Amino acid sequence: MEAWAGHEVPALPGTGQPLALYDSARRSVQVTRPGPDGATMYVCGITPYDATHLGHAATYLAFDLVVRAWRDGGHRVRYVQNVTDIDEPLLERAARDGEDWIVLGLRETALFREDMEALRMVAPDHFVGAVESIGVIAERVAALLDDGAAYRLDDGTGDVYFDVAAAPRFGYQSHLDRAQMLALFGDNGGDPDRAGKRDALDPLLWRGARDGEPAWPGGVLGPGRPGWHIECAVIALEHLGDSVDVQGGGSDLIFPHHECSAAHAERLTGVAPFASHYVHAGMIGLHGEKMSKSKGNLVFVSRLRADGLDPMALRLALMAEHYRTDRQWTDEAGKLAEHRRARWRAAVASPTGPDAESLLMAVRGRLADDLDTPGALALVDAWAEAALAGEGKDPGAPALVRTTVDALLGVRL
């Protein structure tokens, strides 16, 4: 599967600072320490049953900033993002609308690419669909069966489950008690009441073929399709190796998705933890409620673009609050961001300006501290106001600020 075209990230003088990020497993901000072969990151992608909404945009923006900060720090970055192009939500939406699930997935994936390109997100090195990965996923599920970490239900369905007893550290990432896990598991695609499972929390690895549902050859597993958690685990292992520096996604993925995918990966490789940092972006709400398809209150990036909101203003609006913060979207946020971008554009069009090298160092420092975008934006605001007031006589400052904002914040002025 092809990613979007992306764009060139300009180089800056000097080298950025080491990037520190909040790790959900350790519940603290820790410095990332990429190895000599570079930094690695796996970010869970979309299930393409609908268009890109603001929650998607905010999440992928956070990890776009991670890539930029690492590159600015001199690291080669290997970035993988998946597309869950076969799963229950996609099939359910296609059935509801009387549409072919393949056509639906292709169309929404194409729109997602357009939105990511418009928002100037750095493209992943590998943009990988679940369907194209089914063969290798089936092989890994078979390996878990051979290892005794998975089992078949004896009800004739061909379903295979992971035994959470095979993951003694299960829960280390989310820090939830069993009651909390069970509640979230049932609300987020799990089946705690499925008869025949060894443990209510055991996640599905392979769904045996059902009448009227798509299925693929699974070798010793029989025909079927993979579960969600094993999909991400295997794609990450195939493209990034036995462990990653960052596994990322929205905070709604902490449990069960990231907990289960890490358990799968660690059992397959014997390497723990699967990720040095489990990094999660906050949720975007509207009118005091979380955006969700069930509430029917999703705000789509394509709609905002069609209504005239500049994608760079949308980036600025989403960066106005910290990436880990649950926050509300308002029309006023978009208007304030458009005003901010206009002020910045006017400032970098000035013939001279205040010292930009100090600003570059300060912005690097804010972003290195767990992506403090509100602090970074405030620094650029102050420089812009000073430049517009005629302060500073450096003729090279406006160009360096323009490049700083482009390279580190992804905002084209």
Side-chain angles (χ1 to χ4, degrees):
M1 185 175 288
E2 292 187 6
W4 51 99
H7 67 281
E8 287 295 322
V9 177
L12 291 166
T15 303
Q17 300 178 24
L19 174 63
L21 294 169
Y22 184 86
D23 171 31
S24 297
R26 288 175 285 180
R27 294 190 281 193
S28 61
V29 176
Q30 301 284 336
V31 176
T32 62
R33 303 185 186 281
D37 294 331
T40 55
M41 181 168 70
Y42 181 86
V43 177
C44 296
I46 60 166
T47 301
Y49 58 82
D50 220 333
T52 316
H53 58 70
L54 283 182
H56 293 136
T59 295
Y60 299 122
L61 173 56
F63 298 103
D64 176 80
L65 296 173
V66 170
V67 173
R68 292 170 183 274
W70 270 337
R71 287 184 176 178
D72 185 52
H75 300 290
R76 173 177 174 247
V77 180
R78 290 185 292 142
Y79 171 24
V80 175
Q81 188 180 131
N82 75 307
V83 178
T84 303
D85 53 357
I86 179 62
D87 203 8
E88 273 75 9
L90 178 62
L91 297 176
E92 290 167 2
R93 179 60 58 88
R96 186 199 74 176
D97 296 345
E99 187 171 7
D100 187 295
W101 67 271
I102 297 175
V103 174
L104 173 61
L106 289 173
R107 183 181 69 245
E108 298 304 334
T109 301
L111 181 54
F112 175 75
R113 289 191 190 96
E114 291 176 13
D115 289 335
M116 295 297 101
E117 179 72 17
L119 290 168
R120 302 184 82 235
M121 303 290 193
V122 175
D125 299 285
H126 300 282
F127 190 55
V128 187
V131 170
E132 67 188 277
S133 307
I134 286 176
V136 68
I137 296 172
E139 291 174 3
R140 295 283 190 148
V141 173
L144 289 171
L145 272 173
D146 289 343
D147 183 40
Y151 60 95
R152 302 174 189 267
L153 290 193
D154 59 4
D155 58 2
T157 60
D159 293 353
V160 179
Y161 281 83
F162 182 78
D163 188 345
V164 294
R169 301 175 72 234
F170 192 77
Y172 78 88
Q173 181 198 153
S174 58
H175 302 282
L176 301 175
D177 61 32
R178 184 173 176 83
Q180 292 171 317
M181 286 183 184
L182 284 169
L184 286 172
F185 191 66
D187 289 342
N188 291 278
D191 54 358
D193 299 324
R194 177 74 184 274
K197 291 170 58 175
R198 294 175 182 172
D199 190 299
L201 290 172
D202 289 350
L204 180 71
L205 293 170
W206 186 258
R207 178 177 170 85
R210 300 318 200 253
D211 290 342
E213 293 186 7
W216 289 263
V220 298
L221 304 177
R225 55 187 166 90
W228 178 30
H229 315 308
I230 190 66
E231 168 200 337
C232 282
V234 172
I235 291 173
L237 293 176
E238 286 297 304
H239 293 279
L240 296 173
D242 290 351
S243 63
V244 298
D245 291 300
V246 166
Q247 181 182 37
S251 59
D252 56 338
L253 299 185
I254 295 174
F255 191 91
H257 186 50
H258 283 176
E259 192 76 64
C260 290
S261 60
H264 298 336
E266 289 166 5
R267 183 69 187 201
L268 283 165
T269 66
V271 176
F274 166 60
S276 298
H277 284 72
Y278 297 96
V279 181
H280 299 100
M283 298 288 100
I284 306 294
L286 182 69
H287 306 314
E289 292 187 311
K290 174 188 171 182
M291 287 187 193
S292 69
K293 68 179 189 319
S294 62
K295 295 181 183 295
N297 64 349
L298 297 175
V299 177
F300 296 112
V301 171
S302 54
R303 172 49 54 193
L304 291 173
R305 291 168 52 206
D307 289 344
L309 181 63
D310 188 280
M312 296 302 93
L314 179 53
R315 276 189 79 106
L316 287 169
L318 293 174
M319 288 189 287
E321 295 187 64
H322 193 265
Y323 80 95
R324 286 195 285 116
T325 303
D326 291 339
R327 52 209 189 272
Q328 296 292 309
W329 173 259
T330 63
D331 291 339
E332 184 64 19
K335 292 175 183 177
L336 290 173
E338 288 180 318
H339 175 73
R340 171 175 263 153
R341 182 177 182 239
R343 297 291 285 175
W344 288 12
R345 291 186 73 179
V348 298
S350 301
T352 61
D355 177 30
E357 292 185 3
S358 296
L359 174 67
L360 169 58
M361 292 177 60
V363 170
R364 279 172 163 160
R366 288 297 82 228
L367 294 177
D369 184 10
D370 195 28
L371 304 179
D372 177 14
T373 52
L377 268 55
L379 290 168
V380 181
D381 284 341
W383 182 93
E385 293 307 311
L388 291 170
E391 299 175 19
K393 302 302 179 182
D394 182 357
L400 180 54
V401 172
R402 183 191 297 271
T403 304
T404 296
V405 169
D406 186 347
L408 299 181
L409 300 176
V411 176
R412 182 181 60 245
L413 296 178

